[in-house]
Amino acid sequence: MKKLAYDLVIIGGGPAGLAAALEAKKNGVQKILICERAPYLGGILNQCIHNGFGLQYFKEELTGPEYASRFIEDVENSDIDVKLETMVMEILEDKKVIAVNRKDGMVQIDTKALILAMGCRERTRGAITIPGSRPSGIMTAGTAQSYVNLEGYIPGKEVVILGSGDIGLIMARRLTLEGVNVKGVIELMPYSTGLIRNKVQCLDDFDIPLLLSHSIIEVHGKERLQGVTIAEVDKNLKPIEGTEHYVSCDTLLLSVGLIPENELSNNLGCEMDKVTRGPVVNEKRITNIPWVFACGNVLHVHDLVDNVTQEAEIAGKAAADFINNKMNKEEKDVIITHDNNIGYIVPQHIDALNNTEQMIKFFLRVKNPDENVRLIVKDNFDKTLLNFKKSIVEPGTMVTFNLPREFVTKDTSSIDITISKEQA
Amino acid sequence: MKTDVLIIGGGVIGASVAHQLAKYNLDIILVEKANDICMGTSKANSAMIHSGFNIDGGTLKGQLVLKANKVIKQLCQDLNVGLVKPLGSITVGFEEKDLEKMKKTMENGIKNGIQGMKLLNQKELHEMEPHLNPDSKYGLFEPETGIINPFEYTVALAENAVINGVKVLLDTEVLDIMIENKTVKGVKTNKGDIETKVIINAAGLYADKIAAMVENIDFEIKPRKGQYFLYDKKWRDILTYTIYSAPTKVSKGMIVVPTIDGNILAGSNAEAVDDKTDLKTTTQALDQIYTSTISHLFPELPRMGDVITTFTGLRASSTNEDFIIEPAKTVKGFINVAGIQSPGLTSAPAIAEMVEGLVREQNMNLDFSAKVNYQKGRKPPIMLKDLSYQERTALIEENPDYGEIVCRCESISKGEIIDAVHRPIPATNLDAVKRRVRAGMGRCQGGFCGPKVVAILSQELVISPLEVTQKGNKSFVLTAKNKELSLDEGDRNYEKISV
């Protein structure tokens, strides 16, 4: 078996992997390898031909491929090695990565550090157990996007979309532009789970109905899908009897959530967060394994690629510090706790004290939409470290904030984050 | 077309009979109405090799399962089919009355010649299966139960038959049976007539319909529907043995069982239905299976989330509940193999042997001399997961397609998928590929590899991607090329959902 050696191996050549590689390079890592399964870099951005990318990071509006190409060009102009159509099969505890491709066959890559940037996958029909028959014409919104935008084929003529996740909303507009009748989007929750701008620009602007608090309770058709039965759900999300309604359609797209793709991380023994379904990390995006870092959608599902890039830069810089022995050795574990309406927070804990970065970047998601709330950060002495107002919070949009590192002292053992109604 | 023996049905029974009779100098045709073999009862069941410990040894199915159990290991070895046997089973009880039933089951097992059965106390039970509900109290261990991949098994039997000269005609439905002088003459199919001396009716759920084309019959196939949960491989370690729940009022004993590929399969209930095509899952049944069995036995298993899929199987149960393996009463040359419900998958080799005896008894002037070039096995498909890294590298050097991973969940290469399209029984649609090589069988259910497999099928079969199907017939995956719909106004309905 062929053997290679690198300072840093990055699994995944999507937005997270690309930004992490460039940042690590910038911080002095010599030999970097990106392993990418697809025949091209850029990951899922390649099939996201709509615009709306880069507003935060580049302060301009780009399409997915345009956003990706800015990083791809930089990688191509650097001495970062890339192996395309290369699938990582296994990560071994002694810092070895086993990969396979057409040219090398099975290849063993020794490395000093590893960045997990494998992204996520879509939740399937099975995972939400929609009952009924099993005809063709049922697929995830991302699979449909791949057929339309990469292969040049339309999956159906009359489409119902289950779930108001961003990919579903984007595909509602994309298919409408292709002459498909998108009959509506069905959402189980009483609110849209995607970005507000996607609801406005992809549904409202095209008169596509969004049915909140509805679910699909049966699919019909033996060969190709013929229709679905929808029903309204009560506040426990159970279908309300008597509200059933048959909708004929030949295609059902599912946009019911994304799941970080952590099979490699699990097998390696990374500690996982049950809510994010990604590794538990500290502020430098280091997992419980000191030489393994994680960023992007493999860590937690992001709303905007801009946030992925920023997070990947944290991981890339940290991996460089680790490789160059610049990582602070004095470790102290500060636990992050949070209140009921916060679904998750990344990072889950803070480790090092004497670091060069001024700011600790937090990403969190709320469970339920709310208005006029305050985000309050307190330490274990009940001292308020941050306190700011948010006029709207909703599950589809991540809340991000920076905590100045100096606020974490040698006596800090925990930090509590709450989002609650503003006191009048 | 003309043949000696015509087998109707490409399930495990039809394939086993074809495999059995292919040893002789006979012309054999197997017809299957679906687009692939293994498309009915054989594809959706518990995937278990039964030992017969809990079956009445006096019934025909009891006799056959006990007989088959002794030969199946060798058969799987000959055909290169994965089999885990013995794996063993534990029947789990919660109440004292369960213990009484278990004692009776144990007596029955001993009578059937099963050795090594043992009643377990609570401590022993939980030592053997630590993830079981702590409230479970009694166990009956039985060492002989095994597990198999029913698709691999059925395909292997059929492939061996094809290698030995059997013709398999897919998409071929028998419409009528021709009879002359009270003797079988042939069949009429949607693809034309086939003359034959002997007909084997292995039509599964439709065996009654086929049998009734020949004479008045005294049985009916009443499908019994069963629904299943298939769990992600990450739950594999939750159990070691096949777990039976003790029979209760609401369920007649369900199972939670590891699959040979490392998933967990759980089900199934039993519901009599009239519609032989009713493969729908229902929330009501799934909830009931989950509550009464899955979470009752293994409280850690979730209702959703790590469920890869749920599915329905139809048992081809006959009204008299036993296997019906006998010649037609009034017409010569016609043999019914009907009512093959559980444990049909296990019994198949013994059923095939019995059918051979019945064919011989028909005295239809058949040449039962042994085939000179008979091949006992088959060249197994290359499966990368079974190879060492060194072997894989050598293989990839020879054919780089084995180095291109198409299905990321199950790590299946392009080479393996192309092979499946060109096997003796070709896989020509997405589900057929999935059953052969597991591409699309994993946790993303084909989300990532679907478009790639469509492209491979299109290329290898030299058809447009628009002609590629999920499972044959009209189950197309794609509808049009980009721009075709926006250019063609057509007569589409542009109504939106309104409630």
Side-chain angles (χ1 to χ4, degrees), chain A residues 213-355:
Chain A
S213 295
H214 275 74
S215 186
I216 289 179
I217 57 167
E218 188 174 350
V219 303
H220 307 269
K222 279 171 183 154
E223 294 179 351
R224 176 82 192 201
L225 180 68
Q226 289 180 329
V228 296
T229 302
I230 63 172
E232 199 178 335
V233 297
D234 61 21
K235 60 179 190 301
N236 299 315
L237 310 181
K238 293 281 173 213
I240 301 169
E241 224 170 292
T243 62
E244 299 86 357
H245 191 85
Y246 179 82
V247 181
S248 71
C249 58
D250 64 2
T251 306
L252 172 62
L253 299 189
L254 304 176
S255 181
V256 290
L258 299 167
I259 302 165
E261 204 161 2
N262 273 299
E263 281 64 41
L264 289 170
S265 341
N266 267 317
N267 291 341
L268 178 64
C270 285
E271 187 195 338
M272 290 290 158
D273 181 322
K274 282 206 169 81
V275 180
T276 61
R277 302 180 70 156
V280 170
V281 292
N282 68 12
E283 78 279 22
K284 294 189 159 270
R285 275 49 176 184
I286 310 177
T287 68
N288 61 314
I289 300 169
W291 54 280
V292 179
F293 302 73
C295 56
N297 283 351
V298 80
L299 185 55
H300 60 113
V301 174
H302 293 61
D303 53 350
L304 301 175
V305 70
D306 308 64
N307 286 323
V308 169
T309 301
Q310 289 191 26
E311 183 173 74
E313 288 174 348
I314 298 171
K317 166 79 167 60
D321 287 349
F322 174 81
I323 292 161
N324 297 326
N325 288 315
K326 283 192 202 157
M327 191 69 87
N328 168 45
K329 295 283 188 267
E330 186 190 339
E331 286 194 358
K332 174 173 177 56
D333 205 12
V334 179
I335 302 294
I336 313 294
T337 58
H338 56 77
D339 84 337
N340 288 337
N341 194 29
I342 296 178
Y344 73 79
I345 298 178
V346 173
Q348 289 86 348
H349 62 115
I350 301 174
D351 261 343
L353 282 172
N354 306 321
N355 264 286

Side-chain angles (χ1 to χ4, degrees), chain A residues 123-135 138 219 254, chain B residues 281 308:
Chain A
R123 190 168 278 144
T124 64
R125 174 183 177 188
I128 54 171
T129 59
I130 306 170
S133 54
R134 303 171 90 201
I138 302 174
V219 303
L254 304 176
Chain B
T281 52
I308 283 184

Side-chain angles (χ1 to χ4, degrees), chain B residues 64-276:
Chain B
L64 290 171
V65 75
L66 294 170
K67 199 171 163 193
N69 215 277
K70 297 193 172 71
V71 300
I72 197 151
K73 212 163 176 169
Q74 184 61 48
L75 177 67
C76 287
Q77 238 165 52
D78 291 344
L79 294 174
N80 265 295
V81 168
L83 170 74
V84 177
K85 188 176 181 302
L87 172 76
S89 75
I90 300 175
T91 307
V92 174
F94 288 77
E95 293 168 47
E96 196 148 350
K97 66 178 193 331
D98 296 335
L99 180 66
E100 294 312 307
K101 280 185 209 149
M102 285 180 193
K103 284 181 181 161
K104 285 201 182 111
T105 307
M106 181 154 155
E107 270 170 42
N108 184 72
I110 292 168
K111 211 166 76 186
N112 285 350
I114 313 294
Q115 290 177 356
M117 291 174 71
K118 188 176 178 249
L119 286 166
L120 308 172
N121 63 31
Q122 195 169 19
K123 185 166 167 280
E124 292 167 318
L125 178 65
H126 292 273
E127 268 167 17
M128 288 174 80
E129 291 290 8
H131 293 275
L132 271 175
N133 184 339
D135 294 340
S136 56
K137 284 200 182 98
Y138 310 102
L140 170 62
F141 175 72
E142 165 278 327
E144 283 298 324
T145 293
I147 49 175
I148 198 164
N149 174 338
F151 323 129
E152 186 190 13
Y153 177 44
T154 305
V155 167
L157 287 161
E159 284 191 348
N160 171 272
V162 170
I163 292 165
N164 287 305
V166 173
K167 279 194 201 73
V168 173
L169 307 178
L170 300 174
D171 292 313
T172 306
E173 182 174 2
V174 171
L175 306 173
D176 202 1
I177 291 173
M178 301 177 282
I179 297 163
E180 251 178 45
N181 303 326
K182 295 267 167 199
T183 304
V184 156
K185 181 90 184 2
V187 295
K188 286 190 177 303
T189 79
N190 58 334
K191 299 277 177 79
D193 296 354
I194 305 169
E195 276 184 47
T196 184
K197 294 175 186 164
V198 174
I199 294 174
I200 317 286
N201 171 16
L205 291 163
Y206 300 90
D208 53 351
K209 193 178 143 199
I210 298 288
M213 292 175 181
V214 173
E215 61 184 3
N216 289 326
I217 52 168
D218 56 4
F219 68 91
E220 198 186 333
I221 304 298
K222 280 292 235 183
R224 252 206 316 270
K225 179 170 162 176
Q227 304 187 31
Y228 289 90
F229 286 75
L230 186 70
Y231 283 93
D232 193 289
K233 285 180 177 177
K234 78 180 201 208
W235 288 99
R236 174 61 188 90
D237 293 335
I238 201 166
L239 51 71
T240 304
Y241 303 96
T242 287
I243 304 299
Y244 285 93
S245 65
T248 65
K249 263 183 197 156
V250 283
S251 111
K252 61 181 212 58
M254 297 203 230
I255 50 113
V256 183
V257 54
T259 72
I260 200 153
D261 294 295
N263 298 97
I264 297 288
L265 182 63
S268 65
N269 63 338
E271 182 195 344
V273 291
D274 294 324
D275 180 358
K276 292 178 176 181

Side-chain angles (χ1 to χ4, degrees), chain A residues 23 32 63 133 203 205 231 239 287 290 368 418:
Chain A
E23 193 65 19
I32 303 177
T63 65
S133 54
L203 300 187
D205 289 357
T287 68
N368 296 300
T418 56

Side-chain angles (χ1 to χ4, degrees), chain A residues 193-204:
Chain A
T193 59
L195 294 168
I196 295 167
R197 72 170 195 221
N198 280 336
K199 182 197 169 282
V200 174
Q201 293 171 7
C202 300
L203 300 187
D204 301 353

